[in-house]
Each structure stands twice: as C-alpha cells, then as structure tokens.
Amino acid sequence: TQLLEQSPQFLSIQEGENLTVYCNSSSVFSSLQWYRQEPGEGPVLLVTVVTGGEVKKLKRLTFQFGDARKDSSLHITAAQPGDTGLYLCAIKGDSGTYKYIFGTGTRLKVLA
Amino acid sequence: DVKVTQSSRYLVKRTGEKVFLECVQDMDHENMFWYRQDPGLGLRLIYFSYDVKMKEKGDIPEGYSVSREKKERFSLILESASTNQTSMYLCASRKLGPQYFGPGTRLLVL
C-alpha cells in the first residue's frame, strides 16, 4: 500500500519568511498534485507535477518533483497571511484503481 | 474553469434522520468521489463512481450509500444518521487529470 507522508505537520511563521514543506512516498509515482485548503472550504488544486526533476512556479510558490519520483516539495517565498491553510499532496493509487492517496497535510499559519 | 458544487454548506440533522448530500459538476467528468475529512484522519474515501449508475466502495462505506443517475450528479445518502457521522463531506470529480473538489458540506448530527 502506498503511503504519503507530509512534513512538517504544523508550521507557524511570520509574514515575509520563507518556508518549505515536503511530501514523501513509500514508492514511485507517476504524477503528484498539490492542493491548498482554507478553513471551511474544499481543497483547491495548485499544481500537478509529472516529470522527475520538474520545477513549476506559481507566483511565490515553487513546486519541485524529485528526480527519483518519490518525493516533492513546495517552497513559499515571502509568505503572506493569505497563504494560511492546509497544504495537501496527492497521488493516484496503484494502476487500475480510481482511488487517490492523500497526505495528512501541512497546516500553515502565517502571522501578520 | 471546472465547477463542482455541493447542495449545502452546513447541515444540522438529528440521529436517525435520512440525509441527502448532493454534488453537481459541470465539466462532463466521468469519475466522481465522496470523501469525509476529520481532524487527524485526513481525507477518507467513502464511495466513488466511474460512470452513470456505476459505483464502488471506498475505504469507509459503512453507513452510507450513493446514487448516480446522471453524469453530472452524485448523491451521498446517510440512511440513518449517527453522531459519528458528524464531519466535513467533500465531493470531487475528474476526467483524466487531477481531482477537483467542491466547497464541502459541514454536517452536524445531534
């Protein structure tokens, strides 16, 4: 059974600081999604990474897919209070299944 | 833009009531999913549907049923609500790519 571990679980930082959160899998995966979920809302898709070593940027967010396709990271530059939320990574389950596997998330709070 | 809507944002029901949660997507997606999200437990898959009238159990189907009579609509039914079904319920849909989520329904069962 594939597992996705995210770290850290919780992060509280001041506005303007940089941070990195991590998502690690117990096995190789073909693609990975990052979502942000604000309190009381559903997860919103941020990005999909599909190629080993791939780097994608979304304004102040930089997403990286590990060369070995077993890990990914999300780096936020100059965090703002609007970045507050739960960051989830997700991969599709084993071939032949419709299921997705979600990490347990990193809960980020950015203080003004 | 993909749009997934859920019929209610907040619901309060009594133990034993039958509860219907509805989800509608407007992008002709084949696959639709129902999850519940609880603190410390993450997202857990209840049921999913890969086509009209087709459904498969997820990881925690007990106490729930689903209905997919039309492609755009996927309903989650709690036959007899219990307090341990108090949770945030999330619907999602996809075609070939990633899942897209609705805003969620926060259900409180008293």
Side-chain angles (χ1 to χ4, degrees), chain A residues 10-72:
Chain A
F10 301 96
L11 196 52
S12 182
I13 61 172
Q14 292 293 133
E15 183 176 4
E17 291 184 17
N18 300 333
L19 67 117
T20 302
V21 299
Y22 300 92
C23 176
N24 294 286
S25 170
S26 56
S27 54
V28 174
F29 47 82
S30 57
S31 68
L32 178 142
Q33 288 82 43
W34 281 98
Y35 293 85
R36 178 170 63 219
Q37 184 178 19
E38 297 183 14
E41 300 291 332
V44 174
L45 179 69
L46 296 173
V47 77
T48 297
V49 284
V50 296
T51 306
E54 182 176 7
V55 176
K56 280 191 174 178
K57 291 198 173 189
L58 188 66
K59 297 183 182 177
R60 293 174 294 100
L61 279 60
T62 301
F63 303 86
Q64 186 152 11
F65 199 5
D67 291 336
R69 307 169 70 92
K70 293 180 70 175
D71 59 275
S72 180

Side-chain angles (χ1 to χ4, degrees), chain B residues 8-30:
Chain B
S8 305
R9 295 300 305 272
Y10 301 95
L11 272 181
V12 181
K13 297 291 182 181
R14 297 224 171 260
T15 302
E17 280 192 77
K18 192 168 186 174
V19 182
F20 293 87
L21 303 181
E22 289 215 314
C23 175
V24 178
Q25 49 93 4
D26 66 356
M27 287 302 292
D28 201 38
H29 286 176
E30 279 84 17

Side-chain angles (χ1 to χ4, degrees), chain A residues 35 37 40-42 98-100, chain B residues 9 37 59 94 97 99 102-103:
Chain A
Y35 293 85
Q37 184 178 19
E41 300 291 332
Y98 293 94
K99 291 186 181 181
Y100 275 72
Chain B
R9 295 300 305 272
Q37 185 177 32
D59 299 315
R94 70 181 287 268
Q99 295 189 341

Side-chain angles (χ1 to χ4, degrees), chain B residues 38-105:
Chain B
D38 302 287
L41 296 176
L43 272 82
R44 293 182 291 168
L45 181 64
I46 305 171
Y47 266 97
F48 65 98
S49 168
Y50 50 90
D51 206 343
V52 175
K53 296 191 187 293
M54 308 302 285
K55 61 187 179 186
E56 282 200 24
K57 293 179 180 178
D59 299 315
I60 50 162
E62 297 78 20
Y64 303 95
S65 62
V66 290
S67 171
R68 186 134 181 237
E69 296 296 317
K70 293 186 177 180
K71 194 173 188 179
E72 67 271 18
R73 191 179 298 268
F74 191 33
S75 302
L76 179 70
I77 303 146
L78 287 66
E79 296 290 341
S80 177
S82 64
T83 54
N84 62 13
Q85 292 179 310
T86 290
S87 186
M88 172 72 141
Y89 288 88
L90 292 164
C91 174
S93 75
R94 70 181 287 268
K95 196 173 183 77
L96 297 174
Q99 295 189 341
Y100 293 89
F101 285 86
T105 296

